[in-house]
Amino acid sequence: MQLRRFATLIGLAALGLAFAQQQTLTIYSGRGQSLVEPLVKQFQTETGIRVQVRYGTDAQILAALQEEGSRSPADVFWANTAGALGQAASKGLLRPLGDTLLRQPLAFVPASKAWVPVTLRLRVLAYNPQKLKPEELPASILDLPRFAQEKDLVGRVGWTPTYSSFQDMVAGMIALYGEGRTREWLSAMKALNPKGYASNPAMLDAIRAGEIDLGSTNHYYVVRFRRAGYNLGLHYFKDGDPGNLALVTGAGILKTSKNLVAANRFLTYLLSPKGQQYFAGTVGEYPLVKGVVADAHLLPLEEALAKSPKLDFEKLPLDQALRLLRELGIL
Protein backbone atom coordinates (compact mmCIF):
# COMPACT_ATOMS: atom_id res chain seq x y z
CA MET A 1 0.00 0.00 0.00
CA GLN A 2 2.79 2.40 0.99
CA LEU A 3 4.75 1.50 -2.14
CA ARG A 4 1.68 2.26 -4.25
CA ARG A 5 1.20 5.66 -2.58
CA PHE A 6 4.89 6.43 -3.01
CA ALA A 7 4.70 5.55 -6.71
CA THR A 8 1.63 7.79 -7.06
CA LEU A 9 3.48 10.71 -5.47
CA ILE A 10 6.47 10.18 -7.75
CA GLY A 11 4.14 10.10 -10.73
CA LEU A 12 2.43 13.34 -9.71
CA ALA A 13 5.79 15.04 -9.17
CA ALA A 14 6.96 13.92 -12.60
CA LEU A 15 3.69 15.12 -14.12
CA GLY A 16 4.15 18.53 -12.44
CA LEU A 17 7.71 18.80 -13.74
CA ALA A 18 6.63 17.83 -17.23
CA PHE A 19 3.86 20.45 -17.09
CA ALA A 20 6.36 23.12 -16.05
CA GLN A 21 8.71 22.13 -18.85
CA GLN A 22 5.89 22.36 -21.42
CA GLN A 23 5.02 25.96 -20.48
CA THR A 24 6.54 28.90 -22.29
CA LEU A 25 6.36 32.12 -20.34
CA THR A 26 6.45 35.15 -22.65
CA ILE A 27 7.96 38.29 -21.13
CA TYR A 28 7.99 41.71 -22.76
CA SER A 29 10.95 43.44 -21.16
CA GLY A 30 11.88 47.11 -21.11
CA ARG A 31 14.87 46.12 -19.02
CA GLY A 32 18.13 45.74 -20.93
CA GLN A 33 19.04 42.26 -22.09
CA SER A 34 22.62 42.45 -20.83
CA LEU A 35 21.36 43.38 -17.34
CA VAL A 36 18.65 40.79 -16.81
CA GLU A 37 19.25 37.83 -19.12
CA PRO A 38 21.41 35.95 -16.55
CA LEU A 39 18.55 36.14 -14.03
CA VAL A 40 16.03 34.92 -16.60
CA LYS A 41 18.26 31.92 -17.37
CA GLN A 42 18.62 31.27 -13.64
CA PHE A 43 14.83 31.24 -13.29
CA GLN A 44 14.48 28.81 -16.20
CA THR A 45 17.07 26.45 -14.72
CA GLU A 46 15.54 26.44 -11.26
CA THR A 47 11.87 26.13 -12.29
CA GLY A 48 11.99 24.19 -15.57
CA ILE A 49 9.73 26.85 -17.11
CA ARG A 50 10.78 27.91 -20.59
CA VAL A 51 10.98 31.67 -21.04
CA GLN A 52 10.80 33.70 -24.21
CA VAL A 53 11.75 37.37 -23.86
CA ARG A 54 11.05 40.24 -26.21
CA TYR A 55 13.35 43.15 -25.42
CA GLY A 56 12.77 46.81 -26.28
CA THR A 57 12.34 50.20 -24.68
CA ASP A 58 9.36 50.74 -22.40
CA ALA A 59 7.76 52.94 -25.06
CA GLN A 60 8.27 50.28 -27.74
CA ILE A 61 6.79 47.58 -25.51
CA LEU A 62 3.76 49.71 -24.66
CA ALA A 63 3.16 50.44 -28.33
CA ALA A 64 3.42 46.74 -29.19
CA LEU A 65 0.99 45.72 -26.44
CA GLN A 66 -1.58 48.25 -27.60
CA GLU A 67 -1.19 47.24 -31.22
CA GLU A 68 -1.52 43.53 -30.42
CA GLY A 69 -4.50 44.01 -28.12
CA SER A 70 -6.22 40.76 -27.14
CA ARG A 71 -3.96 38.86 -29.58
CA SER A 72 -0.83 39.62 -27.57
CA PRO A 73 1.17 36.54 -26.54
CA ALA A 74 2.70 38.44 -23.62
CA ASP A 75 2.30 37.11 -20.09
CA VAL A 76 4.47 39.61 -18.21
CA PHE A 77 5.39 43.26 -18.76
CA TRP A 78 8.74 43.85 -17.03
CA ALA A 79 9.39 47.58 -17.21
CA ASN A 80 12.32 49.85 -16.69
CA THR A 81 10.18 52.60 -15.17
CA ALA A 82 7.05 53.10 -13.09
CA GLY A 83 5.73 55.59 -15.61
CA ALA A 84 5.40 52.89 -18.26
CA LEU A 85 3.75 50.50 -15.81
CA GLY A 86 1.34 53.23 -14.75
CA GLN A 87 0.40 53.77 -18.38
CA ALA A 88 -0.13 50.05 -18.90
CA ALA A 89 -2.37 49.96 -15.82
CA SER A 90 -4.38 53.03 -16.89
CA LYS A 91 -4.95 51.51 -20.34
CA GLY A 92 -6.34 48.35 -18.74
CA LEU A 93 -3.54 46.08 -19.95
CA LEU A 94 -2.63 44.62 -16.56
CA ARG A 95 -4.58 42.39 -14.18
CA PRO A 96 -4.72 43.15 -10.42
CA LEU A 97 -2.13 41.35 -8.30
CA GLY A 98 -2.73 39.62 -4.99
CA ASP A 99 -1.62 40.78 -1.55
CA THR A 100 0.96 37.97 -1.32
CA LEU A 101 3.04 39.81 -3.93
CA LEU A 102 2.12 43.39 -3.08
CA ARG A 103 2.98 43.22 0.62
CA GLN A 104 6.62 42.26 -0.04
CA PRO A 105 8.16 45.53 -1.34
CA LEU A 106 9.13 48.14 1.26
CA ALA A 107 7.91 51.07 -0.87
CA PHE A 108 6.31 52.24 -4.11
CA VAL A 109 3.39 49.77 -4.17
CA PRO A 110 1.01 51.43 -6.68
CA ALA A 111 -2.55 52.39 -5.89
CA SER A 112 -3.69 50.44 -8.96
CA LYS A 113 -2.27 47.20 -7.48
CA ALA A 114 -1.63 46.16 -11.09
CA TRP A 115 2.15 45.80 -10.84
CA VAL A 116 4.78 45.13 -8.23
CA PRO A 117 7.89 47.27 -7.57
CA VAL A 118 11.12 45.28 -7.94
CA THR A 119 14.14 47.62 -7.61
CA LEU A 120 15.06 51.29 -7.28
CA ARG A 121 17.56 53.43 -9.20
CA LEU A 122 18.41 57.13 -8.92
CA ARG A 123 19.29 59.54 -11.68
CA VAL A 124 22.71 61.09 -11.02
CA LEU A 125 25.37 63.07 -12.86
CA ALA A 126 28.39 61.07 -14.01
CA TYR A 127 31.52 63.08 -14.67
CA ASN A 128 35.26 62.94 -15.32
CA PRO A 129 36.95 63.77 -11.98
CA GLN A 130 40.18 64.64 -13.80
CA LYS A 131 38.40 67.51 -15.54
CA LEU A 132 35.77 68.63 -13.03
CA LYS A 133 35.79 69.12 -9.26
CA PRO A 134 32.78 67.88 -7.26
CA GLU A 135 32.38 71.18 -5.38
CA GLU A 136 31.92 73.16 -8.60
CA LEU A 137 29.14 71.01 -10.05
CA PRO A 138 25.63 72.51 -10.17
CA ALA A 139 23.12 72.02 -7.35
CA SER A 140 20.28 71.38 -9.81
CA ILE A 141 20.10 69.66 -13.15
CA LEU A 142 18.17 72.72 -14.33
CA ASP A 143 21.46 74.66 -13.99
CA LEU A 144 23.43 72.15 -16.06
CA PRO A 145 23.19 74.09 -19.37
CA ARG A 146 24.44 77.31 -17.73
CA PHE A 147 27.23 75.43 -15.95
CA ALA A 148 28.32 73.77 -19.19
CA GLN A 149 28.39 77.10 -21.00
CA GLU A 150 30.46 78.72 -18.25
CA LYS A 151 32.94 75.82 -18.20
CA ASP A 152 33.25 75.78 -22.00
CA LEU A 153 31.78 72.26 -22.22
CA VAL A 154 29.84 72.78 -25.45
CA GLY A 155 30.15 69.49 -27.34
CA ARG A 156 31.51 67.82 -24.18
CA VAL A 157 28.17 66.79 -22.65
CA GLY A 158 26.53 63.42 -23.27
CA TRP A 159 22.90 62.34 -23.04
CA THR A 160 20.67 59.33 -23.81
CA PRO A 161 17.32 60.74 -24.98
CA THR A 162 16.13 57.41 -26.44
CA TYR A 163 16.55 55.70 -23.07
CA SER A 164 13.40 55.25 -20.97
CA SER A 165 14.95 56.52 -17.72
CA PHE A 166 15.93 59.80 -19.38
CA GLN A 167 12.39 60.11 -20.73
CA ASP A 168 10.96 59.50 -17.25
CA MET A 169 13.24 62.22 -15.88
CA VAL A 170 11.84 64.65 -18.48
CA ALA A 171 8.33 63.56 -17.46
CA GLY A 172 9.30 64.26 -13.84
CA MET A 173 10.40 67.77 -14.81
CA ILE A 174 7.05 68.38 -16.49
CA ALA A 175 5.22 67.15 -13.38
CA LEU A 176 7.28 69.46 -11.15
CA TYR A 177 7.74 72.59 -13.27
CA GLY A 178 5.37 72.37 -16.22
CA GLU A 179 5.98 71.88 -19.92
CA GLY A 180 7.18 75.45 -20.58
CA ARG A 181 10.14 75.32 -18.19
CA THR A 182 10.98 71.80 -19.28
CA ARG A 183 10.97 72.89 -22.91
CA GLU A 184 13.38 75.72 -22.04
CA TRP A 185 15.72 73.27 -20.30
CA LEU A 186 15.70 70.81 -23.19
CA SER A 187 16.32 73.64 -25.69
CA ALA A 188 19.24 74.90 -23.59
CA MET A 189 20.65 71.38 -23.42
CA LYS A 190 20.28 70.97 -27.17
CA ALA A 191 22.20 74.22 -27.68
CA LEU A 192 25.20 72.58 -25.98
CA ASN A 193 25.55 70.31 -29.01
CA PRO A 194 25.42 67.24 -26.76
CA LYS A 195 26.61 63.87 -28.00
CA GLY A 196 23.78 61.34 -28.06
CA TYR A 197 24.31 57.72 -27.05
CA ALA A 198 22.08 54.70 -27.51
CA SER A 199 22.97 53.36 -24.07
CA ASN A 200 24.31 54.53 -20.73
CA PRO A 201 27.37 52.21 -20.79
CA ALA A 202 28.37 53.74 -24.13
CA MET A 203 28.07 57.25 -22.66
CA LEU A 204 30.05 56.38 -19.54
CA ASP A 205 32.71 54.72 -21.65
CA ALA A 206 32.96 57.99 -23.58
CA ILE A 207 33.54 59.84 -20.27
CA ARG A 208 36.20 57.30 -19.33
CA ALA A 209 37.88 57.72 -22.72
CA GLY A 210 37.87 61.51 -22.49
CA GLU A 211 35.45 62.08 -25.40
CA ILE A 212 32.99 63.92 -23.14
CA ASP A 213 33.13 65.18 -19.57
CA LEU A 214 29.72 64.51 -18.03
CA GLY A 215 26.21 63.16 -18.53
CA SER A 216 23.02 62.35 -16.63
CA THR A 217 22.63 58.61 -16.03
CA ASN A 218 21.38 56.02 -13.54
CA HIS A 219 23.51 55.49 -10.45
CA TYR A 220 24.14 51.79 -10.99
CA TYR A 221 25.97 52.33 -14.25
CA VAL A 222 28.56 54.42 -12.40
CA VAL A 223 28.72 51.72 -9.71
CA ARG A 224 29.43 49.06 -12.33
CA PHE A 225 32.18 51.11 -13.99
CA ARG A 226 33.78 51.76 -10.62
CA ARG A 227 33.69 48.06 -9.81
CA ALA A 228 35.60 47.48 -13.04
CA GLY A 229 38.31 49.84 -11.80
CA TYR A 230 37.42 52.99 -13.74
CA ASN A 231 37.64 56.40 -12.06
CA LEU A 232 34.25 58.02 -12.68
CA GLY A 233 32.68 60.72 -10.53
CA LEU A 234 29.10 60.46 -9.23
CA HIS A 235 27.28 63.66 -8.31
CA TYR A 236 23.93 63.99 -6.52
CA PHE A 237 22.02 67.21 -6.98
CA LYS A 238 20.24 68.89 -4.07
CA ASP A 239 17.46 66.96 -2.33
CA GLY A 240 14.21 66.94 -4.29
CA ASP A 241 15.84 67.77 -7.63
CA PRO A 242 14.56 65.96 -10.75
CA GLY A 243 18.18 65.18 -11.58
CA ASN A 244 17.97 62.68 -8.68
CA LEU A 245 14.63 61.22 -9.76
CA ALA A 246 13.92 57.83 -8.19
CA LEU A 247 13.19 55.29 -10.92
CA VAL A 248 11.28 52.21 -9.91
CA THR A 249 11.49 49.06 -11.99
CA GLY A 250 8.60 46.65 -11.76
CA ALA A 251 6.53 43.97 -13.41
CA GLY A 252 2.89 43.16 -13.99
CA ILE A 253 0.86 40.35 -15.50
CA LEU A 254 -1.01 41.05 -18.72
CA LYS A 255 -4.73 40.40 -18.97
CA THR A 256 -3.91 38.40 -22.10
CA SER A 257 -1.72 35.95 -20.14
CA LYS A 258 -2.45 32.29 -20.67
CA ASN A 259 0.20 31.22 -18.15
CA LEU A 260 -0.91 32.81 -14.90
CA VAL A 261 0.79 30.29 -12.64
CA ALA A 262 4.13 30.70 -14.40
CA ALA A 263 3.73 34.49 -14.52
CA ASN A 264 3.10 34.62 -10.76
CA ARG A 265 6.12 32.40 -10.16
CA PHE A 266 8.28 34.78 -12.16
CA LEU A 267 7.14 37.86 -10.23
CA THR A 268 7.63 35.95 -6.98
CA TYR A 269 11.14 35.04 -8.12
CA LEU A 270 11.99 38.69 -8.83
CA LEU A 271 11.10 39.51 -5.20
CA SER A 272 12.83 36.47 -3.71
CA PRO A 273 16.11 36.90 -1.78
CA LYS A 274 17.96 35.31 -4.69
CA GLY A 275 16.38 37.61 -7.27
CA GLN A 276 16.82 40.74 -5.15
CA GLN A 277 20.44 39.91 -4.33
CA TYR A 278 21.14 39.55 -8.04
CA PHE A 279 19.96 43.11 -8.64
CA ALA A 280 21.88 44.43 -5.63
CA GLY A 281 25.10 42.50 -6.19
CA THR A 282 25.35 42.13 -9.96
CA VAL A 283 23.49 45.18 -11.27
CA GLY A 284 24.06 47.62 -8.38
CA GLU A 285 20.42 48.62 -7.89
CA TYR A 286 18.60 49.12 -4.60
CA PRO A 287 16.63 46.05 -3.50
CA LEU A 288 13.08 46.75 -2.31
CA VAL A 289 12.57 43.68 -0.14
CA LYS A 290 13.51 43.60 3.52
CA GLY A 291 16.62 41.66 4.49
CA VAL A 292 18.52 42.03 1.20
CA VAL A 293 21.80 43.92 1.50
CA ALA A 294 22.51 46.75 -0.96
CA ASP A 295 25.98 47.64 -2.24
CA ALA A 296 28.00 49.08 0.66
CA HIS A 297 29.18 52.00 -1.50
CA LEU A 298 25.63 53.27 -2.09
CA LEU A 299 23.74 55.77 0.03
CA PRO A 300 21.39 54.06 2.49
CA LEU A 301 17.94 53.59 0.97
CA GLU A 302 16.35 56.23 3.22
CA GLU A 303 18.93 58.85 2.15
CA ALA A 304 18.52 57.88 -1.49
CA LEU A 305 14.75 58.34 -1.28
CA ALA A 306 15.25 61.80 0.27
CA LYS A 307 17.29 62.84 -2.78
CA SER A 308 14.36 62.27 -5.14
CA PRO A 309 11.40 64.60 -5.65
CA LYS A 310 8.14 63.31 -4.20
CA LEU A 311 5.94 62.39 -7.14
CA ASP A 312 3.29 59.85 -8.02
CA PHE A 313 5.65 57.75 -10.12
CA GLU A 314 2.77 55.77 -11.61
CA LYS A 315 1.30 58.96 -13.09
CA LEU A 316 4.33 60.58 -14.69
CA PRO A 317 3.24 62.35 -17.94
CA LEU A 318 5.32 60.09 -20.20
CA ASP A 319 3.24 60.72 -23.33
CA GLN A 320 3.69 64.46 -22.87
CA ALA A 321 7.44 64.04 -22.40
CA LEU A 322 7.77 61.94 -25.56
CA ARG A 323 5.75 64.44 -27.56
CA LEU A 324 7.93 67.29 -26.32
CA LEU A 325 11.15 65.44 -27.17
CA ARG A 326 9.85 64.79 -30.68
CA GLU A 327 8.71 68.39 -31.20
CA LEU A 328 12.20 69.62 -30.30
CA GLY A 329 13.82 67.15 -32.68
CA ILE A 330 15.59 65.31 -29.86
CA LEU A 331 13.89 62.00 -30.68
Side-chain angles (χ1 to χ4, degrees):
M1 187 70 171
Q2 288 183 341
L3 284 174
R4 190 179 305 165
R5 289 177 64 188
F6 181 72
T8 301
L9 289 172
I10 292 293
L12 288 172
L15 184 62
L17 180 60
F19 177 72
Q21 290 174 337
Q22 288 170 6
Q23 296 180 85
T24 298
L25 179 69
T26 301
I27 299 171
Y28 280 19
S29 176
R31 305 237 51 195
Q33 184 172 359
S34 62
L35 290 178
V36 302
E37 189 173 51
L39 185 65
V40 173
K41 290 182 176 179
Q42 189 174 292
F43 171 79
Q44 287 186 110
T45 300
E46 294 186 14
T47 63
I49 298 171
R50 289 197 300 264
V51 179
Q52 181 177 348
V53 186
R54 174 177 177 174
Y55 292 99
T57 66
D58 282 352
Q60 289 169 342
I61 297 297
L62 275 170
L65 287 170
Q66 291 177 82
E67 183 179 341
E68 291 167 352
S70 60
R71 300 175 290 103
S72 178
D75 296 301
V76 171
F77 178 25
W78 189 6
N80 212 33
T81 61
L85 287 160
Q87 279 206 323
S90 68
K91 295 178 188 299
L93 299 175
L94 304 176
R95 63 173 61 239
L97 298 177
D99 289 340
T100 303
L101 281 169
L102 293 172
R103 67 181 174 221
Q104 294 186 53
L106 295 168
F108 303 108
V109 174
S112 67
K113 297 187 177 182
W115 55 274
V116 65
V118 177
T119 59
L120 175 75
R121 297 84 44 77
L122 287 186
R123 295 296 290 180
V124 298
L125 187 69
Y127 67 96
N128 183 345
Q130 295 178 330
K131 296 285 188 70
L132 300 168
K133 297 177 182 179
E135 61 269 20
E136 65 183 350
L137 293 168
S140 172
I141 196 167
L142 295 179
D143 296 326
L144 187 58
R146 176 191 53 77
F147 170 82
Q149 292 282 0
E150 291 175 353
K151 293 295 181 180
D152 196 23
L153 296 178
V154 174
R156 304 285 302 172
V157 176
W159 66 354
T160 56
T162 61
Y163 187 62
S164 57
S165 295
F166 179 90
Q167 294 164 5
D168 259 30
M169 184 180 72
V170 173
M173 286 185 182
I174 294 172
L176 286 168
Y177 306 120
E179 183 174 317
R181 193 170 179 189
T182 304
R183 181 186 292 271
E184 290 176 4
W185 181 81
L186 287 169
S187 297
M189 285 292 296
K190 190 177 178 183
L192 296 174
N193 190 26
K195 293 182 179 176
Y197 296 91
S199 71
N200 285 279
M203 184 177 71
L204 266 61
D205 196 51
I207 296 175
R208 178 198 61 77
E211 297 171 12
I212 58 173
D213 295 321
L214 50 77
S216 174
T217 186
N218 293 347
H219 82 270
Y220 63 92
Y221 288 112
V222 182
V223 169
R224 295 175 74 196
F225 268 71
R226 285 176 166 181
R227 285 176 180 172
Y230 298 118
N231 183 24
L232 287 184
L234 186 157
H235 174 65
Y236 295 102
F237 299 101
K238 64 184 178 182
D239 286 5
D241 194 79
N244 303 328
L245 184 68
L247 298 163
V248 182
T249 75
I253 299 175
L254 278 303
K255 286 184 177 178
T256 56
S257 175
K258 299 176 179 62
N259 297 298
L260 293 179
V261 173
N264 269 287
R265 287 189 70 180
F266 183 72
L267 266 59
T268 300
Y269 193 80
L270 293 179
L271 297 175
S272 70
K274 188 173 290 186
Q276 290 282 291
Q277 199 60 60
Y278 171 84
F279 292 115
T282 303
V283 181
E285 296 177 328
Y286 283 95
L288 286 180
V289 172
K290 188 176 180 180
V292 181
V293 180
D295 188 294
H297 296 96
L298 296 178
L299 290 175
L301 180 60
E302 294 77 12
E303 289 184 37
L305 292 175
K307 293 288 182 189
S308 174
K310 303 298 185 285
L311 293 169
D312 186 340
F313 298 105
E314 194 178 24
K315 295 181 180 178
L316 290 177
L318 186 58
D319 281 343
Q320 193 176 356
L322 292 171
R323 176 182 53 77
L324 182 57
L325 289 165
R326 293 188 186 104
E327 285 180 4
L328 292 172
I330 296 171
L331 285 182

